[in-house]
Amino acid sequence: DGGITQSPKYLFRKEGQNVTLSCEQNLNHDAMYWYRQDPGQGLRLIYYSQIVNDFQKGDIAEGYSVSREKKESFPLTVTSAQKNPTAFYLCASSMDTRNQPQHFGDGTRLSIL
Amino acid sequence: RKEVEQDPGPFNVPEGATVAFNCTYSNSASQSFFWYRQDCRKEPKLLMSVYSSGNEDGRFTAQLNRASQYISLLIRDSKLSDSATYLCVVNRGAAGNKLTFGGGTRVLVKP
């Protein structure tokens, strides 16, 4: 089945630790995105990538890093510099032309131990 | 002013009734508009794209008013399974495909 797979579903981070969230898609989409959602709030864009080996900061990139070495994969690292990492993290992809809807993976819930 | 504003609700709707709600956006350069549905603790799922002429998909009708910069969603013959949060999503009008998400309107359909 075509889709977007995020793992793990739940993740716990210790103080001072970096953690990496996985996102893989087999939709052959060029563009991929990472969002953060806090309870009762809308999605906020962390990073996005329109093509392999290129990515841009979104609205709240501080404390996060990404890579895009393969078209199918766009992992997000939550670094120890992100002081409030507890949130629901959503990965999305779309065709890279404008006016295209984005399709989401089922998310990773990150909590602080 | 937020870029995309929605009434958070909840809209309490009797089963079988019609419910409608709007979303306003501030960026006049926005070119594409979408409604997503999000169930509790789940990912958003695309409900429908919104076209200038308005469009309908079964019991759901979306309208776009560019002059007043709002989009609307109407749900007819509400089902219990329509209970969810509906996210208004607007593209930013710049290069690329960045979207801005509203905070969502919660709909509760009751028997």
Side-chain angles (χ1 to χ4, degrees), chain A residues 9-10 33 35 37 40-43 45 48 50 57-59 88 90 94-107 109, chain B residues 3 29-34 36 38 40-46 49 87 91-104:
Chain A
K9 204 170 182 66
Y10 299 95
Y33 314 81
Y35 294 90
Q37 187 175 33
Q41 297 191 32
L43 279 68
L45 182 64
Y48 66 102
Q50 293 178 262
K57 292 181 179 180
D59 305 316
F88 187 37
L90 289 154
S94 73
M95 297 181 64
D96 187 34
T97 50
R98 288 171 67 176
N99 305 325
Q100 295 299 312
Q102 294 175 14
H103 302 276
F104 287 85
D106 58 4
R109 291 196 178 275
Chain B
E3 290 184 56
S30 296
Q31 296 290 322
S32 55
F33 310 87
F34 309 97
Y36 281 72
Q38 187 174 26
C40 188
R41 300 179 68 82
K42 298 284 190 182
E43 77 276 19
K45 293 185 178 177
L46 179 67
S49 301
L87 306 178
N91 96 326
R92 301 189 187 187
N97 194 31
K98 290 198 292 184
L99 302 178
T100 299
F101 288 75

Side-chain angles (χ1 to χ4, degrees), chain B residues 8-28:
Chain B
F11 284 63
N12 293 301
V13 184
E15 192 175 9
T18 296
V19 61
F21 42 89
N22 292 341
C23 153
T24 58
Y25 62 95
S26 61
N27 185 353
S28 59

Side-chain angles (χ1 to χ4, degrees), chain A:
Chain A
D1 284 352
I4 303 171
T5 302
Q6 289 187 241
S7 63
K9 204 170 182 66
Y10 299 95
L11 187 58
F12 298 91
R13 195 191 89 168
K14 295 179 181 178
E15 293 287 343
Q17 186 181 43
N18 293 353
V19 292
T20 297
L21 284 59
S22 170
C23 178
E24 304 275 333
Q25 55 98 0
N26 60 5
L27 299 168
N28 200 33
H29 285 167
D30 290 306
M32 297 185 74
Y33 314 81
W34 274 105
Y35 294 90
R36 167 185 175 135
Q37 187 175 33
D38 292 281
Q41 297 191 32
L43 279 68
R44 292 184 290 167
L45 182 64
I46 304 173
Y47 266 98
Y48 66 102
S49 168
Q50 293 178 262
I51 197 168
V52 175
N53 292 323
D54 187 45
F55 48 83
Q56 284 80 41
K57 292 181 179 180
D59 305 316
I60 54 164
E62 187 174 348
Y64 300 97
S65 66
V66 292
S67 62
R68 187 83 187 279
E69 296 175 3
K70 299 187 299 182
K71 186 175 184 178
E72 304 79 23
S73 178
F74 191 40
L76 173 74
T77 296
V78 184
T79 75
S80 57
Q82 173 48 245
K83 297 306 179 190
N84 186 21
T86 297
F88 187 37
Y89 290 87
L90 289 154
C91 177
S93 70
S94 73
M95 297 181 64
D96 187 34
T97 50
R98 288 171 67 176
N99 305 325
Q100 295 299 312
Q102 294 175 14
H103 302 276
F104 287 85
D106 58 4
T108 293
R109 291 196 178 275
L110 176 61
S111 301
I112 290 289
L113 279 178

